[in-house]
Amino acid sequence: MISFAFTKQDEKILEEARAQACLATKYARDFEHDEDNLLPSAYPEAEGRPDTRALLREHEAETSGAKIMNALLYLEEWRGGVPLRESRYSLGNTVLKIAGTPEQYARWADKTIAIGLTEPIGGSDPASIRTTATWDAATREWVIEGEKIFITYAETCEAVLVLARIVHPERRGLSTFMLEKGAPGFSVGPQLRKMGIRFEDTAGLAFSGCRVPPFNHIDGDLKKTLQSFSESRPVVAAYALGVTRAALDFTWERLAEIDITPDYDAGPTQLAAAADRLLALEADWEATWVTVLRAKWIEQNEGPGKIESSVAKAMGGALARKVTQTCIELLGASGLSDSHLPEKAFRDARIFDIYEGTGDIQRLIIAREILGYSPRELN
């Protein structure tokens, strides 16, 4: 049975993460007009404070488990607008662990690995991939040609796991290749100018005659490799929960100045209209929080659940749009001021319905699973 009761150690670690998020708030606007300025590994206020993930590793047996707690730590970190101490969720490392050989994992496990999927024309649809990996029989190397866009950690990662279309006399299809920074023909940047999440390292990648040895071919089960997104999608929903929690808390604080406070026992006719709208959002927030915990509980105990992950991701993206929009409306002109974080949250929130698979794609995945249709039958 799934339990959502926190242990004492859970609460201790999450309280520390929440306190650190409050300290980080002062830096949230530092990247609004300078996106080339990348996040530091830690801000000065982190000195003397424990690394919450180190605490989790040290006391994991006393917690609800690493999968659940990691997601909740990301929720807390995103309350502050930026993390006090950077902790990357690197999907490339997850894919390497799933699809790579023990020897490949041993070589690159300690590196930050970005994932190179999205392309200028086809977006994140693997069927539209145009980047190629051509086998050169004379030199016994793979030659990578192509372009990727909107790659998280593009500049600060140490390697990129690239999805490419194979050109080989004896095989076709898609596969993945590890490209390390500094390889000839591998270029990065510049940083992209974005509506929101301006603190996040996001840039394009280009490959021109980039040669890699056979060892860099991560030749695992591609279907299983793509299922690694099932691990990351609930984390994106946790990001959305953090941003929306900050917006909700700020809005409640402002409403309290005019004596509008939450009353969970009052009926709709007894509430101010603003409080009624916010309480409805609080219910949506709680429902999304439960889907994240459920997806991570299943992953922790049974392995990633495809439909559960998609439900969490779809709900997180929708929640982020709905909450931040409503908070801006209730706050009026002050909600649009860059003196307060709800304006930033409104812009940041748009990404949660886009990366790691759009909300529409998640709803399509859910429909296929429920109805028993293949991608060919329902697309």
Side-chain angles (χ1 to χ4, degrees), residues 4 8 44 103 107 132 192 237 272 281 292 306 310 324 336 345 372:
F4 298 123
K8 289 183 179 180
E103 293 77 17
R107 177 167 173 177
T132 59
L192 297 174
L281 294 179
V292 171
K306 186 175 182 180
S310 290
T324 55
L336 298 173

Side-chain angles (χ1 to χ4, degrees), residues 13 17 29 49 65 75 92 98 101 111 120 131 167 175 179 184 189 191 233 258 268 285 316 318 322 326 342-343 362:
I13 295 172
R29 292 284 181 179
R49 302 199 71 106
L75 186 164
I98 292 172
T101 64
K111 297 184 180 296
T131 296
V167 180
S175 196
L179 275 68
Q191 285 289 308
R233 283 168 179 157
I258 54 173
W285 193 94
K322 186 177 180 181
T326 304
E343 179 271 341
Q362 301 315 309

Side-chain angles (χ1 to χ4, degrees), residues 349-368:
R350 271 48 197 165
I351 192 60
F352 303 125
D353 203 37
I354 298 173
Y355 63 11
E356 306 291 342
T358 65
D360 284 343
I361 291 296
Q362 301 315 309
R363 286 181 277 275
L364 188 59
I365 291 170
I366 294 165
R368 287 170 184 163

Side-chain angles (χ1 to χ4, degrees), residues 220-290:
D221 182 338
L222 183 61
K223 185 176 181 180
K224 187 176 179 181
T225 298
L226 294 176
Q227 286 176 350
S228 61
F229 283 96
S230 294
E231 295 188 30
S232 62
R233 283 168 179 157
V235 174
V236 174
Y239 295 164
L241 287 168
V243 167
T244 52
R245 186 69 264 159
L248 284 167
D249 289 348
F250 182 89
T251 307
W252 278 123
E253 289 168 9
R254 281 307 175 97
L255 290 179
E257 296 172 4
I258 54 173
D259 296 324
I260 296 177
T261 56
D263 185 345
Y264 295 94
D265 296 322
T269 59
Q270 299 171 287
L271 291 167
D276 186 46
R277 292 181 71 184
L278 277 187
L279 285 175
L281 294 179
E282 291 283 5
D284 291 339
W285 193 94
E286 290 280 350
T288 303
W289 180 83
V290 169

Side-chain angles (χ1 to χ4, degrees), residues 19-88:
Q20 292 187 21
C22 291
L23 293 173
T25 302
K26 64 184 288 187
Y27 299 105
R29 292 284 181 179
D30 286 3
F31 305 88
E32 295 299 296
H33 305 293
D34 187 10
E35 290 171 272
D36 292 323
N37 181 22
L38 300 176
L39 271 174
S41 58
Y43 284 106
E45 287 81 356
E47 186 175 352
R49 302 199 71 106
D51 182 328
T52 52
R53 283 181 174 75
L55 284 177
L56 175 56
R57 288 190 296 271
E58 183 181 351
H59 301 284
E60 184 178 345
E62 304 166 59
T63 71
S64 295
K67 297 285 188 181
I68 292 171
M69 284 296 291
N70 265 314
L72 293 177
L73 285 174
Y74 280 112
L75 186 164
E76 297 300 339
E77 288 167 358
W78 279 67
R79 286 175 183 247
V82 294
L84 187 68
R85 180 185 280 108
E86 190 176 22
S87 179
R88 300 173 177 176

Side-chain angles (χ1 to χ4, degrees), residues 303-314:
K306 186 175 182 180
I307 190 168
E308 292 82 6
S309 296
S310 290
V311 168
K313 173 64 169 63

